């Protein structure tokens, strides 16, 4: 199978968005005496905008904590501070994973100018950033002649440059700088904290490595903040335009986001590809062995959007609209989403070991079960769209 690239998937999603604009809106077939979307969808759309903004604020807060931890570590590298920085990265990763349900319809995260490619691009050729096994002088960090200054501007310009896998920014660049290559069968990468101890540490260019780590953290925070500002209740430009959309179009974008993540992206790019290749490089967080949490948070993000849920708060959600028109369909999709989450939890960790072996291996069977559960719920999301007279054109 030819592996679809992230850019290709974005193009497919945007193409679907355009197709939906042309053919899918304005025909809500009201059934069972339910109100038309123009009457009962606005509270759901407003609640969705609140969910998006609140979720990005949470991601920003955790990233700010991560940056504080990185600054403490770089200022005085110790084993304890290195461990704290890694734990801060793991905590920062969770809320962002749930925001990925807000992608795939050309919003501020991934429109033509959106920063998604700087935030969460993968897979990553780590030799673009730093040394790897057999290449001690690899990467931007070890090329002071070409890149005398390491700052946010430098690493942003070098992201996906020259190639798509030449990732220099975002969560996974920071992850690599904290864990290093993962060459262990039963654990994550083992980069020593002494890679950052200037003059007396391991590897070369320790000071530049610290500069890179700090720059990557600052840029990540800037990019997340720019997206959050677009959804802000006060002055958020994209939010204002989103809640002013025809309800059918706003609902279509919401469904396109969760449907695209559920099917082509999560079940396909993030799980099926790794299942097929059995390659560690094809898992999402391959340096920290956090892929199992990435997958779970993506699935929880989809569920949150459908239910209108943020933490313990139950907001108006798509489920309310569906239940008013087809209670059985709503119950089925809620059941399928929970089954997907349970199937993902059953995979266990690390993900890179679960995908190994023959197809009868317990880990591979669990991964396959989760993929099939996600594809099943994606098909039902398509059914929900049709309930509203919307054609999504998403891959299941």
């Amino acid at each position: 199978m030819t592996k679809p690239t992230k850019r290709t998937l974005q193009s497919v999603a945007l193409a679907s968005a355009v197709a939906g604009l042309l053919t899918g809106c304005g025909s809500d077939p009201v059934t069972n005496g339910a109100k038309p979307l123009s009457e009962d969808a606005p509270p759901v759309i407003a609640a969705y905008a609140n969910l998006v903004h609140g979720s990005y604020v949470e991601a920003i807060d955790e990233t700010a904590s991560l940056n504080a931890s990185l600054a403490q570590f770089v200022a005085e590298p110790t084993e304890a501070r290195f461990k704290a920085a890694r734990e801060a990265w793991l905590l920062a990763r969770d809320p962002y994973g749930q925001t990925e349900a807000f992608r795939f319809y050309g919003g501020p995260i991934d429109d033509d100018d959106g920063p998604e490619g700087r935030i969460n691009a993968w897979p990553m050729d780590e030799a673009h950033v730093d040394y790897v096994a057999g290449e001690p002088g690899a990467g931007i960090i070890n090329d002071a002649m070409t890149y005398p200054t390491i700052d946010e501007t430098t690493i942003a310009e070098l992201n996906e440059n020259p190639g798509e896998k030449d990732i220099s920014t975002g969560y996974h660049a920071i992850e690599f700088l904290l864990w290093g290559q993962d060459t262990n069968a039963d654990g994550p990468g083992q980069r020593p904290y002494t890679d950052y101890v200037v003059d007396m540490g391991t590897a070369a260019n320790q000071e530049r490595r610290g500069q890179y780590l700090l720059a990557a953290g600052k840029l990540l925070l800037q990019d997340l903040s720019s997206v959050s500002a677009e959804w802000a209740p006060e002055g958020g430009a994209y939010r204002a335009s989103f809640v002013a959309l025809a309800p059918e179009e706003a609902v279509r974008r919401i469904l396109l986001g969760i449907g695209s993540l559920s099917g082509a992206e999560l079940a396909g790019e993030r799980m099926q590809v790794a299942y097929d290749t059995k390659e560690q490089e094809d898992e999402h967080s391959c340096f920290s062995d956090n892929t199992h949490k990435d997958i779970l948070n993506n699935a929880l993000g989809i569920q949150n959007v459908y239910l209108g849920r943020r933490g313990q708060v139950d907001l108006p959600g798509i489920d309310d609209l569906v239940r008013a028109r087809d209670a059985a369909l709503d119950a089925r999709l809620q059941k399928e989403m929970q089954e997907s989450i349970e199937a993902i939890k059953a995979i266990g960790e690390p993900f890179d070991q679960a995908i190994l072996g023959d197809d009868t291996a317990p880990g591979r069977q669990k991964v396959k079960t989760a993929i099939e559960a996600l594809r099943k719920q994606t098909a039902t999301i398509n059914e929900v769209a049709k309930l509203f007279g919307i054609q999504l054109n998403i891959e299941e």
Side-chain angles (χ1 to χ4, degrees), residues 71 106 191 195-196 231 264 275 285 295 312 314 349 376 389 394:
R191 182 190 289 274
D195 277 7
Y196 292 87
W231 285 99
Y275 178 87
S285 291
I295 294 170
Q312 300 301 313
D314 183 16
E349 58 179 303
K376 185 177 181 181
I394 56 175

Side-chain angles (χ1 to χ4, degrees), residues 92-101 171 261 270 294 297-299 301:
R93 187 72 181 150
D94 286 349
Y96 180 76
Q98 296 187 20
T99 72
E100 294 202 86
Y171 286 104
L261 177 59
R270 302 186 181 190
D294 291 339
N297 279 304
N298 287 169

Side-chain angles (χ1 to χ4, degrees), residues 51-71:
L51 171 65
V52 176
H53 182 253
S55 299
Y56 279 123
V57 167
E58 186 176 356
I60 288 169
D61 289 345
E62 291 294 346
T63 301
S65 296
L66 167 63
N67 285 358
S69 185
L70 295 178

